[in-house]
Amino acid sequence: MAILEVWQKILSDINYWPIFEVASTLLASIRAQTANRVLRILITASERLTKIGVTTRHDLSGRMFQNLIVDRKFLATFYTLPTSAMLLAEIAVGRLDRNWSNLAEYPDLILADFSCGTGTLLSAGYHAVLARYRYAGGDDSEIHKCMIEHSVIAADIMPAAAHLCASQLSSVHPTVIFDNTRVYTMPYGTGGVDEEEYQEVSIGSLDLIESGQTRSLFATGEVQASGVRGDIQVGDIEVPHESVDLVIMNTPFTRPTNHEATDVPVPSFAGFRTTEEEQRLMSDRLTDIRRRIRYAAGHGNAGLASNFVDLAHAKVKSGGVIALVLPITVIQGASWQPTRKLLSRAYENITVVTIASSGNHERAFSADTGLAEVLIIATKKRDGIGSDPHQDVLFVNLYRRPSGMLEAAETARIIGCLSTSSSTGHILAGEKISGSYIRAPLGEGGCTGLRESALADVMIALHQTNLKVPQHPDCHALPVVPLGQLGERGLLDRDIGNRKDDQPPYRGPFRIHAIEGVPSYPVLWGHDANRERHLLVDPDCMGVVRPGCDKRALTVWQTASRLHFTRDFQLNSQSLAACLTSSPILGGTAWPNFRLHESRWDELIVLWRIARLA
């Protein structure tokens, strides 16, 4: 057919082997009549896409690929939006300690993404480097072959993603022919557990945490992507420790436990239909690796993203930069404390970028995550590990994601140029305010997600038992006492009731229902972030007295109060730390109540509690 002839000419005269060789093989295997119908449908679809402007979006393949991943729930691989990739890459590349005017230095630069997906982040980093080469007066097409073959390292557990990554990198200069790449598909699982013969357990790129090399798997054999004739045989992937100038990644967010998939033993390793035994072996291998790391960032409850921080730390060289997209829980989550300790010990010039908005989708740098995220950029100390708890971190809170590539690049430039002489201020793009910033220790996680940096100043002062109010120069000491001296906690939710139809004897006298009519026993039970944006919150459930529990119900009701504290204060889905109800009610699983000795203290304590937690 004519189309096959054109595709073969592209293969022989230009390249694009990973795309057109696969497409040619697929098309050649379809009967001509059927192929013509399929092609007509595809042509019609392409014309429609062209009319709506997708040809101006280089990220179409990545978006499509993300939606087609069958195991996306367990792999938790999310597509980094191009504007977010540009923002992160420009900040990170801009702080590399390089003489960008020396054109001879570029081929020695090493960039790596060990969770590359379709290559959006790595390509953004590569583009940022080549842009500096052009600005210095060079022709970046002359170093493209050398850098693709040597300087740009990508790895993923999905062969199709690695192919797309290689294609995206090569498309920077599509007419430049290269011999091979350093784009790899990493082995994952065991290929089936054999009882008679032990098979090595592989956990993808995380195998590289302990070693400078590991086996590489591309498609069905030990091969890597090549630029001339498809894939080539390769024994090991070699990435020595402390050899990479920039590690840039959007890490998988999967955790070893998942309440939505209770029938899956280890969801973090449940991709590609791994068996229960494989999941257990893979989890055990990661645990063994983590135990042998002296200053491990990884934590089981934080999920694989924290283990990828260990990988980035192992591979980046002293003076090099890590640039990571992580869930916002890294800033305050208890399970992420080891990561924060590692950053404080081993890194300097740390920048944390968040989006100060409402709703998790609006606060994400990736597509379709439903999770608030942060960008963390940090430079590895040249003098090794050394804890500095007072090291200031630059917290940048944007009002929204950059709307275009130019805005992303300009925002990155502004962030890179923020003066160290000012502890707080606004991000100014021309005359427009696009965000705020504050410098504070990494432990002051409440500095993320704030629209006004002045509020952070007030909160930090309160945390240090001082009263510091904007527009007033004086700072006053403010005595504090433990909360337990002012009142006592309400009952545990299980002593109040639950939603189940239990059999007597009942631990709690109430069965919890949705509110119908006017409740006799109103309860603030669960979280709903959309309705919990103000300090005054209405009850969301009611308690129905179980049979024979009338006296106990009255006793329990005596513990009701207006003041409620969130059980798990978070910066992602639920950012309200404390609230009041219009009248005394019972607390629940998400909002246990607190009874003060004096009810007139309620308003003061709710404000103080929010300041302390934030």
Side-chain angles (χ1 to χ4, degrees), residues 292-552:
R292 289 190 286 269
I293 301 174
R294 184 177 181 185
Y295 297 106
H299 188 287
N301 290 335
L304 293 186
S306 63
N307 302 114
F308 274 89
V309 175
D310 283 322
L311 176 57
H313 176 65
K315 298 306 175 185
V316 71
K317 63 174 61 173
S318 296
V321 175
I322 60 172
L324 308 174
V325 183
L326 293 170
I328 200 170
T329 48
V330 66
I331 300 302
Q332 275 200 331
S335 301
W336 284 95
Q337 186 176 14
T339 297
R340 295 193 294 272
K341 284 185 177 180
L342 176 65
L343 290 172
S344 297
R345 288 185 177 120
Y347 292 84
E348 58 191 2
N349 194 14
I350 302 171
T351 298
V352 177
V353 183
T354 58
I355 301 172
S357 182
S358 60
N360 291 330
H361 290 282
E362 289 74 16
R363 300 168 69 194
F365 291 98
S366 306
D368 304 326
T369 62
L371 296 171
E373 295 173 312
V374 298
L375 307 180
I376 293 184
I377 308 96
T379 302
K380 195 172 186 179
K381 293 179 180 177
R382 295 184 182 276
D383 54 356
I385 296 291
S387 181
D388 183 5
H390 303 295
Q391 176 188 184
D392 275 347
V393 171
L394 175 61
F395 291 95
V396 176
N397 301 307
L398 303 177
Y399 293 161
R400 57 175 175 79
R401 281 190 304 268
S403 58
M405 306 298 272
L406 182 60
E407 183 181 346
E410 178 64 10
T411 302
R413 185 195 66 79
I414 294 171
I415 292 173
C417 295
L418 289 176
S419 172
T420 57
S421 61
S422 176
S423 60
T424 62
H426 289 94
I427 306 294
L428 297 174
E431 297 182 356
K432 183 180 180 181
I433 299 177
S434 58
S436 64
Y437 71 91
I438 183 169
R439 298 182 188 276
L442 186 59
E444 299 292 350
C447 294
T448 57
L450 293 177
R451 293 187 67 86
E452 285 298 330
S453 55
L455 177 59
D457 271 342
V458 175
M459 293 189 299
I460 291 173
L462 285 176
H463 189 72
Q464 298 169 347
T465 69
N466 292 312
L467 181 62
K468 181 181 179 182
V469 182
Q471 301 179 355
H472 291 273
D474 297 329
C475 184
H476 302 280
L478 195 66
V480 297
V481 296
L483 192 60
Q485 294 185 16
L486 303 179
E488 58 185 8
R489 292 181 296 178
L491 296 176
L492 187 67
D493 61 275
R494 291 191 294 275
D495 292 324
I496 297 172
N498 56 44
R499 299 178 184 271
K500 300 179 181 179
D501 289 319
D502 291 340
Q503 299 297 321
Y506 305 109
R507 175 168 176 174
F510 296 104
R511 183 168 183 239
I512 307 301
H513 285 262
I515 291 180
E516 297 179 4
V518 180
S520 299
Y521 297 99
V523 180
L524 184 57
W525 198 260
H527 275 315
D528 183 350
N530 292 328
R531 62 185 292 274
E532 293 165 0
R533 296 295 181 190
H534 304 280
L535 297 185
L536 191 62
V537 175
D538 294 325
D540 61 349
C541 292
M542 67 180 187
V544 176
V545 181
R546 297 184 185 276
C549 295
D550 297 85
K551 290 185 178 180
R552 288 178 57 204

Side-chain angles (χ1 to χ4, degrees), residues 488-491 559-561 563-564 585-587 591-595:
E488 58 185 8
R489 292 181 296 178
L491 296 176
T559 66
S561 68
L563 179 62
H564 300 260
I585 65 172
L586 296 172
W591 288 101
N593 65 304
F594 193 90
R595 294 183 298 157

Side-chain angles (χ1 to χ4, degrees), residues 109-131:
L109 188 70
I110 304 295
L111 314 176
D113 185 345
F114 301 105
S115 180
C116 67
T118 57
T120 303
L121 266 180
L122 190 59
S123 292
Y126 185 44
H127 276 282
V129 170
L130 295 186

Side-chain angles (χ1 to χ4, degrees), residues 23-43:
S24 298
T25 302
L26 178 62
L27 187 61
S29 64
I30 304 174
R31 292 187 339 176
Q33 186 176 3
T34 303
N36 286 332
R37 290 202 304 268
V38 171
L39 289 172
R40 280 195 296 270
I41 294 173
L42 292 175
I43 290 171

